[in-house]
């Protein structure tokens, strides 16, 4: 293998790095849904869970922020610090607290299904903030619209259309939407809370791009957001849950859950997501959300014996189709923009 082939393979690998990073992030998020649901179902307070999770994330990221980015001289003004504080409050603290409260009422699989509204919410917010545009007359614009609609349709079918079970013996099992023993009213309440949490998360994705232009030190930025979120969550948890017993954390499954969600999800995945947003934009990162649903469903059927139904399988297929439709539209849009830019450069050079 010559140097040219090695260079070409390295360039090809670099091109697919954002895709691989987002797939890895969604696998981590699937694990988060399962671990979180198990801990909260076992009696751990959701607000306390968020505090410990963000504390673990801050402690895990702090050494990397200090040593790996020590050579970066990015200044941190008071105004920028206030911006990061409020972005952490809206996009992380409120989103996580609402998300874990909703998990108290709904199953892990349905929680993962609900997050598939994030691409559409992010897409709408990006249009409102003029960070995304839609060209109705071009194929890539139509693909983005249709892909988003198909993603939402797949999520709704997965969540609300049960259908016959894939295995005859699974008739004896309980429907996964009510496997946590909650009533229909509580399930609707949990779904609405999850929708609000996803809206806050979509807003966080939108705001990451502008804030990184002002403060490009991604690990430091992620560490600061986790620290602020930990402080905000602690204040909220203390005001809501004053029972000291709820704060006890022993060497058990709850410790494993908060460590996993803190170090891997809130720490590593936040940093990876910020890196991908800087390269590909917020809508690109949001479009990978459906993958966590599929992974969560697979692991739930293995470990929690949740029954796969025909409706959920059809919904998952639509999710994947919608995902690749939007990604195709994004790729074609980038190619068109590149061609337009190259043509403009050629015209300038000819003059």
């Amino acid at each position: 293998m010559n140097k040219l082939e090695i260079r070409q393979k390295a360039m090809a690998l670099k091109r697919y790095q954002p895709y691989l990073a987002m797939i890895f992030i969604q696998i981590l998020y699937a694990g988060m849904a399962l671990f979180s649901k198990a801990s909260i179902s076992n009696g751990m307070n959701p607000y306390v869970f968020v505090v410990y999770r963000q504390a673990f994330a801050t402690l895990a990221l702090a050494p990397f922020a200090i040593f790996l980015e020590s050579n970066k001289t990015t200044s941190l003004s008071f105004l920028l610090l206030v911006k990061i504080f409020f972005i952490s409050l809206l996009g992380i603290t409120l989103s996580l607290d609402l998300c874990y409260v909703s998990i108290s009422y709904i199953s892990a699989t349905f929680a993962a299904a609900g997050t598939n509204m994030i691409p559409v919410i992010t897409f709408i917010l990006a249009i409102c903030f003029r960070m995304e545009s839609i060209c109705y007359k071009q194929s890539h614009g139509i693909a983005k619209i249709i892909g988003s609609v198909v993603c939402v349709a797949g999520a709704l079918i997965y969540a609300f259309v049960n259908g016959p079970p894939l295995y005859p013996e699974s008739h004896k099992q309980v429907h996964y939407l009510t496997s946590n023993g909650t009533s229909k009213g509580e399930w609707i309440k949990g779904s609405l809370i999850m929708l609000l949490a996803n809206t806050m998360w979509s807003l966080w994705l939108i705001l990451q791009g502008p804030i990184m232009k002002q403060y490009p030190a991604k690990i430091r930025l992620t560490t600061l957001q986790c620290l602020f979120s930990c402080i905000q969550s602690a204040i909220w948890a203390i005001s809501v849950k004053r029972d000291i017993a709820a704060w006890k954390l022993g060497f058990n499954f709850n410790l494993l859950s908060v460590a996993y969600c803190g170090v891997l999800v809130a720490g590593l995945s936040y940093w990876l997501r910020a890196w991908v947003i800087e390269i590909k934009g917020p809508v690109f990162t949001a479009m990978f959300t459906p993958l966590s649903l599929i992974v969560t469903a697979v692991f739930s059927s293995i470990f929690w014996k949740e029954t796969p139904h025909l409706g959920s399988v059809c919904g998952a297929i639509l999710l994947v189709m919608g995902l690749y439709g939007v990604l195709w539209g994004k790729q074609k849009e980038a190619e068109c923009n590149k061609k337009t830019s190259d043509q403009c450069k050629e015209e300038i050079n000819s003059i």
Side-chain angles (χ1 to χ4, degrees):
M1 185 181 295
N2 54 37
K3 292 183 178 181
L4 179 61
E5 291 177 345
I6 295 175
R7 186 179 301 175
Q8 289 176 346
K9 288 188 175 182
M11 291 178 63
L13 180 62
K14 187 176 181 180
R15 189 188 313 157
Y16 289 109
Q17 281 178 351
Y19 296 88
L20 296 175
M22 289 309 304
I23 293 172
F24 179 65
I25 288 172
Q26 295 310 315
I27 293 174
L28 291 179
Y29 268 76
M32 179 195 72
L34 297 171
F35 277 106
S36 302
K37 176 62 180 178
S39 292
I40 294 174
S41 297
N42 289 333
M44 189 170 187
N45 184 269
Y47 304 119
V48 175
F49 189 97
V50 174
V51 177
Y52 281 127
R53 164 188 162 143
Q54 297 307 96
F56 269 94
T58 305
L59 293 174
L61 285 171
F64 296 98
I66 294 171
F67 295 106
L68 294 183
E69 294 184 337
S70 59
N71 58 339
K72 293 189 177 182
T73 57
T74 305
S75 60
L76 186 63
S77 63
F78 176 76
L79 180 59
L80 182 58
L81 198 64
V82 171
K83 288 181 180 179
I84 296 174
F85 179 86
F86 280 103
I87 288 175
S88 304
L89 176 63
L90 293 174
I92 300 180
T93 304
L94 288 179
S95 176
L96 287 176
D97 281 327
L98 291 171
C99 178
Y100 286 126
V101 169
S102 69
I103 288 178
S104 303
Y105 302 106
I106 58 179
S107 69
T109 308
F110 184 71
T115 58
N116 288 279
M117 290 296 294
I118 291 176
V120 177
I121 298 171
T122 307
F123 190 60
I124 294 172
L125 290 176
I127 293 174
C128 295
F129 285 100
R130 297 183 179 181
M131 299 175 67
E132 281 284 332
S133 59
I134 302 176
C135 186
Y136 300 99
K137 297 180 180 180
Q138 299 291 333
S139 59
H140 56 76
I142 298 173
K144 287 163 67 175
I145 296 172
I146 295 176
S148 298
V149 173
V150 171
C151 272
V152 176
L156 293 175
I157 291 173
Y158 189 96
F160 297 107
V161 180
N162 189 21
L166 297 183
Y167 309 109
E169 63 273 13
S170 57
H171 279 291
K172 301 178 182 179
Q173 298 182 9
V174 181
H175 190 286
Y176 78 93
L177 286 177
T178 57
S179 61
N180 55 347
T182 59
S183 64
K184 185 177 180 181
E186 290 178 333
W187 171 71
I188 294 174
K189 179 181 178 181
S191 301
L192 293 175
I193 295 174
M194 178 61 72
L195 176 61
L196 183 57
N198 293 336
T199 303
M200 293 294 101
W201 181 251
S202 298
L203 183 62
W204 181 83
L205 291 175
I206 292 294
L207 295 175
Q208 283 303 290
I211 205 69
M212 277 191 293
K213 292 180 180 178
Q214 301 179 52
Y215 196 71
K218 291 183 287 293
I219 302 179
R220 286 186 184 180
L221 178 60
T222 306
T223 306
L224 278 173
Q225 292 186 80
C226 289
L227 176 61
F228 284 146
S229 176
C230 180
I231 297 171
Q232 294 160 357
S233 301
I235 295 172
W236 176 258
I238 292 171
S239 62
V240 174
K241 191 71 174 179
R242 298 183 181 181
D243 184 11
I244 300 177
W247 290 84
K248 292 182 180 180
L249 191 65
F251 288 94
N252 49 27
F253 184 80
N254 291 341
L255 177 63
L256 176 63
S257 297
V258 295
Y260 174 90
C261 294
V263 177
L264 295 181
V265 179
L268 178 60
S269 73
Y270 278 18
W271 173 75
L272 282 175
R273 190 183 292 272
W275 173 72
V276 176
I277 289 174
E278 187 179 24
I279 299 173
K280 292 288 189 178
V283 176
F284 176 86
T285 59
M287 287 306 163
F288 279 84
T289 308
L291 294 179
S292 65
L293 166 61
I294 299 172
V295 178
T296 304
V298 171
F299 281 104
S300 294
S301 63
I302 295 174
F303 296 107
W304 289 358
K305 306 301 181 182
E306 288 187 356
T307 308
H309 290 73
L310 182 61
S312 61
V313 173
C314 293
I317 293 173
L318 286 177
L319 283 169
V320 176
M321 290 173 60
L323 168 65
Y324 286 106
V326 175
L327 291 179
W328 181 87
K330 291 286 291 182
Q331 182 181 359
K332 290 298 179 182
E333 184 182 36
E335 292 175 359
C336 291
N337 292 337
K338 185 178 180 181
K339 288 181 180 179
T340 304
S341 178
D342 292 341
Q343 288 175 359
C344 291
K345 289 180 181 179
E346 289 178 1
E347 290 177 1
I348 293 172
N349 293 331
S350 62
I351 297 174

